[in-house]
Amino acid sequence: MGYVDYEVEGAVGVITINRPKSLNALNSEVLDDLKKVFDGVDLETVRCLVLTGAGDKSFVAGADIGEMSTLTKAEGTAFGKKGNDLFLEIESFPIPVIAAINGFALGGGNEISMACDIRLCSDNAVFGQPEVGLGITPGFGGTQRLARLVGMGMAKQLVYTARNIKADEAYRIGLVNAVYTQEELLPAAKKLAATIAGNAPIAVRNCKKAINEGCQVSISEGVALEEKYFGDCFESEDQKEGMANFLRKKDDPKKVKHVAFQNK
Ligand code: CO8
């Protein structure tokens, strides 16, 4: 569809931002197309998503500077809200989203990757928040999510200097979980997604909610959230079968089997 492609392989959905001539920069149409694709994901069958960019040069080189260049204050605020609303939807999407960062992840590109649950990148990836060099602040969540991911001191340094960093430094500061060659990146992201998709879906979704929501509150409120999401897993078919399988294995290791979780 338009600027965004979507393919399903088994229980893994792969979303590709496809505007390579502009290094996959996010204009309003790309944001609209992304929203349509996320809203259309069949959550009955798809259990994990991979988000990547088309081509071998760029994941997303930021929000579209041409489109932003003529915005008024009111339009700038509205554009920021459009991106923020979408990225909040991605962050709280019911199933995990893995960013496979295959090149530039600048400005809005770094910001959309930070709305994902897990970031993997290729060795040619470049990260940064160049906004202050353009006369604006990060506007799609960069001032908020970067500090939460890499700590306030490092986030402030990256944002205030507008300095780009390479994949190895992004890995060192904990912005990405792993670095691959370009050829290896997408297969590795799909393999990780398939591993997640093979686990009990209700439990994985509840883990995502417990971690995301728990990060915003005190530890006592966080563990109360965990108790709720933990308790909610009980009496599900997947909990009963997952635990019964473990007990069968203990009883007789030959009875070991792969549990095909039902999402029930
Ligand atoms: N917006 C629009 N077009 C872009 C962008 C972008 N962010 N990035 C690249 N392009 C386009 C170029 O204009 C060029 O198009 P054309 O061929 O028509 O001239 C094409 O992509 C290829 O780019 P280059 O020729 O520049 O490729 P290079 O390999 O020489 O350089 C770079 C690659 C280093 C990535 C360079 O393109 C660059 O610096 N791009 C801009 C990166 C940037 O500053 N991104 C941050 C933008 S600000 C932002 O994201 C704010 C988010 C919050 C918004 C909130 C709104 C209120």
Side-chain angles (χ1 to χ4, degrees), residues 100-158:
I101 301 158
N102 54 317
F104 292 113
L106 300 174
N110 193 36
E111 289 170 310
I112 195 170
S113 83
M114 292 191 292
C116 298
D117 294 271
I118 293 169
R119 281 152 298 286
L120 309 178
C121 77
S122 54
D123 50 16
N124 67 324
V126 176
F127 299 81
Q129 297 292 156
E131 287 88 348
V132 295
L134 296 163
I136 56 173
T137 69
F140 289 165
T143 60
Q144 304 305 305
R145 293 194 180 92
L146 190 58
R148 284 165 167 82
L149 274 170
V150 303
M152 205 179 275
M154 184 57 77
K156 284 181 172 174
Q157 184 172 326
L158 290 171

Side-chain angles (χ1 to χ4, degrees), residues 2-69:
Y3 286 125
V4 180
D5 299 331
Y6 180 54
E7 282 177 5
V8 176
E9 299 173 22
V12 174
V14 180
I15 297 174
T16 306
I17 299 171
N18 192 352
R19 196 188 173 212
K21 280 187 187 155
S22 299
L23 303 185
N24 304 319
L26 302 171
N27 63 11
S28 295
E29 281 173 271
V30 176
L31 294 176
D32 287 339
D33 290 351
L34 268 169
K35 177 157 176 54
K36 278 184 211 144
V37 167
F38 272 95
D39 287 346
V41 171
D42 177 6
L43 293 169
E44 289 298 314
T45 53
V46 176
R47 296 181 183 177
C48 192
L49 292 170
V50 173
L51 176 68
T52 194
D56 55 10
K57 189 171 169 183
S58 182
F59 171 66
V60 171
D64 191 296
I65 298 171
E67 181 173 340
M68 286 189 295
S69 62

Side-chain angles (χ1 to χ4, degrees), residues 70-88:
T70 56
L71 298 183
T72 62
K73 275 189 187 185
E75 289 165 343
T77 305
F79 189 54
K81 178 164 168 37
K82 190 182 182 76
N84 275 331
D85 286 351
L86 173 65
F87 293 10
L88 283 168

